Amino acid sequence: MAPDVAERGGPMIRLGVNVDHVATLREARQTRYPDPMEAARLALRGGADNITVHLREDRRHIQESDVTRLVRELPLPINLEMSLNSIIVEFAESLRPAEVCFVPERRAERTTESGLAVRFLAHRLFPVVRRLTEFGIRVALFVDPVADEIEAASELGVSTVELHTGAYAESRDAASRAHRLERLRNAARLARSRGLMVHAGHGLDYDSVGGVAAIPEIETLNIGHSIVSRAVFIGLESATRLMKERMVEARRGGAV
Ligand code: PXP
């Protein structure tokens, strides 16, 4: 199927809402609420284009049962973030979400701290990427905005790279923010020139999102923590809508 305008980037930008943090709240007290499925439905009403979940090796938030319900019951594509852990890879193969995004994972980290070492892991990634692709799952790799990692992703034949926006989002002064945004721009351009779809995410909030949303090659932004945090005060539907509005405004050339 030929990619539409949205899939090619350009005038459209899509929002993937990461609902891990809803499950974090549930797991903190081992309750049955709040339900990530309910969160996903509210995000859909607020304009989310897909839902992202990370099934971590320690199962600290999202569980297999959450992913299964989301894939089977939600009328939106599910993007499953995961490591190369063989049990989780087998789970993805049996469930077949629309998309899988490989991220590096260390147990002691608070959240994903860096992009995947694609070239270093290429021999392990290659057979897994091939199998998942044969199952009709789009495969993305979460990478730092570094040319050689993007070239390595392209050589592996994945459909997508997700650019790590953490360094940009965390930059403290205008000069480093501008420099890191430029790195993201160059990385997005390179990835598109290699025929890859370009996603981005990590650490983006309502202030930092505009700069990244304005990069025309980027098709989807995956955002979780800031949206769920804002939802505590204004509800998840409104928090999602507000983020989407900022993204669309920036993409149309408005305030960033
Ligand atoms: N994209 C990837 C690959 C991630 O690992 C995460 C965090 O799970 C996100 C996006 C969303 O990051 P945040 O919750 O900081 O918005």
Side-chain angles (χ1 to χ4, degrees), residues 5 14 64 88 92 131 150 184 187 228:
V5 175
R14 296 162 61 90
E64 273 89 339
I88 297 181
R131 254 197 344 265
I150 292 163
L184 288 165
V228 174

Side-chain angles (χ1 to χ4, degrees), residues 2 67 76 88 91 95 102 117 122 124 145 161 171 178 180 187 193 197-198 204 210 214 220 256:
V67 191
L76 276 185
I88 297 181
F91 170 71
L95 189 61
F102 284 104
R124 289 184 59 203
V161 284
S171 46
R180 289 164 181 181
S193 75
M197 303 237 287
V198 190
L204 294 174
T220 298
V256 294

Side-chain angles (χ1 to χ4, degrees), residues 43-114:
L44 168 61
R45 294 224 303 250
D49 300 288
N50 68 60
I51 296 296
T52 290
V53 284
H54 185 175
L55 185 61
R56 291 189 72 101
E57 291 174 17
D58 62 8
R59 310 296 195 273
R60 72 173 74 155
H61 39 56
I62 290 293
Q63 310 292 313
E64 273 89 339
S65 55
D66 295 319
V67 191
T68 303
R69 282 172 65 219
L70 285 163
V71 168
R72 297 215 172 123
E73 295 173 31
L74 199 76
L76 276 185
I78 303 300
N79 169 32
L80 175 60
E81 292 175 1
M82 59 191 216
S83 69
L84 276 164
N85 176 288
S86 59
I87 293 172
I88 297 181
V89 171
E90 277 170 34
F91 170 71
E93 285 173 6
S94 66
L95 189 61
R96 304 191 189 180
E99 182 163 353
V100 153
C101 179
F102 284 104
V103 299
E105 196 172 310
R106 280 184 287 130
R107 289 201 179 209
E109 69 191 358
R110 241 176 297 170
T111 179
T112 314
E113 285 167 359
S114 63

Side-chain angles (χ1 to χ4, degrees), residues 91-164:
F91 170 71
E93 285 173 6
S94 66
L95 189 61
R96 304 191 189 180
E99 182 163 353
V100 153
C101 179
F102 284 104
V103 299
E105 196 172 310
R106 280 184 287 130
R107 289 201 179 209
E109 69 191 358
R110 241 176 297 170
T111 179
T112 314
E113 285 167 359
S114 63
L116 209 59
V118 182
R119 187 145 326 266
F120 180 73
L121 289 169
H123 62 292
R124 289 184 59 203
L125 282 163
F126 182 72
V128 180
V129 168
R130 199 172 49 187
R131 254 197 344 265
L132 290 172
T133 304
E134 278 168 10
F135 281 133
I137 301 169
R138 272 182 288 138
V139 179
L141 303 178
F142 186 51
V143 296
D144 290 319
V146 169
D148 189 53
E149 296 294 13
I150 292 163
E151 299 286 8
S154 156
E155 287 162 25
L156 273 174
V158 293
S159 70
T160 308
V161 284
E162 178 170 336
L163 301 176
H164 194 327

